[in-house]
Amino acid sequence: MPSENIKKLIKMLFDPDHQMRANLKLEALGSEAKPAVPDLWIAVNDLDGEPGPRVRAAALRAIAVIDGPSRETIDGLLGKLEDPITDVVLQAAQSLGNFGPSIKHDCRKLVDKLITVWDPGIRATLARAIIQITDNDDELYEQALADLKLFTPQTAAATFI
């Protein structure tokens, strides 16, 4: 049963004036906010323009922090690599990278996306996530580094910042 505070924050997720604040507060609560995860997914998956891209990305980050590398969260983040909004794709890749080597068996999907996407910001973020996940010790890491050679010097430098 969610606490009154979490119920209030869940309600705020659907108020355009308070969505971002609700996302940030739920993220700060960590695993205590687990009852809000289904509602956060509703916000992330709403493609009708509300909430906006930044709010959707913030909700995705909150899910990753709250739910950690659960199978549902990993699958949801991998699915969001195909989202039409760049902010959402970037956040999905960053969140997957933050899970590190614990999701190494899912890394091939990030490499496949890296090979097919042409946006340099998304490519850089995917490469960074692959490097975080592979922990510098296998062929996926080498593939990510090889793909980085296709970037401009500015994009490659931003990957390692």
Side-chain angles (χ1 to χ4, degrees):
M1 181 84 164
S3 70
E4 288 304 313
N5 184 38
I6 292 176
K7 287 179 186 177
K8 178 181 173 187
L9 291 170
I10 289 171
K11 211 180 256 189
M12 288 171 62
L13 284 173
F14 302 100
D15 178 346
D17 294 331
H18 300 287
Q19 291 170 321
M20 186 61 85
R21 187 172 343 149
N23 282 315
L24 296 173
K25 288 185 177 199
L26 287 165
E27 179 183 345
L29 290 171
S31 62
E32 180 186 334
K34 221 173 198 62
V37 169
D39 294 291
L40 286 162
W41 276 117
I42 290 169
V44 167
N45 291 321
D46 187 351
L47 299 176
D48 294 334
E50 274 301 324
R54 288 183 41 224
V55 174
R56 290 181 62 225
L60 200 56
R61 185 180 61 245
I63 291 167
V65 169
I66 293 165
D67 208 26
S70 70
R71 185 77 255 156
E72 180 181 287
T73 295
I74 292 168
D75 290 343
L77 290 169
L78 289 169
K80 288 299 155 191
L81 292 175
E82 302 302 325
D83 198 272
I85 303 299
T86 299
D87 288 351
V88 174
V89 176
L90 291 171
Q91 186 58 59
Q94 288 171 359
S95 294
L96 287 163
N98 290 340
F99 292 151
S102 69
I103 65 163
K104 192 181 270 188
H105 57 280
D106 292 300
C107 198
R108 173 54 55 195
K109 294 172 184 167
L110 277 82
V111 172
D112 292 344
K113 180 68 176 177
L114 178 65
I115 292 168
T116 62
V117 71
W118 292 105
D119 180 288
I122 293 174
R123 287 178 59 80
T125 303
L126 286 164
R128 184 179 326 138
I130 292 165
I131 290 166
Q132 288 176 286
I133 292 167
T134 59
D135 199 27
N136 303 343
D137 70 350
D138 67 12
E139 74 279 355
L140 294 175
Y141 171 72
E142 294 301 325
Q143 176 68 48
L145 286 180
D147 282 337
L148 281 176
K149 291 178 183 174
L150 301 175
F151 292 177
T152 64
Q154 294 83 6
T155 307
T159 301
F160 295 104
I161 294 177

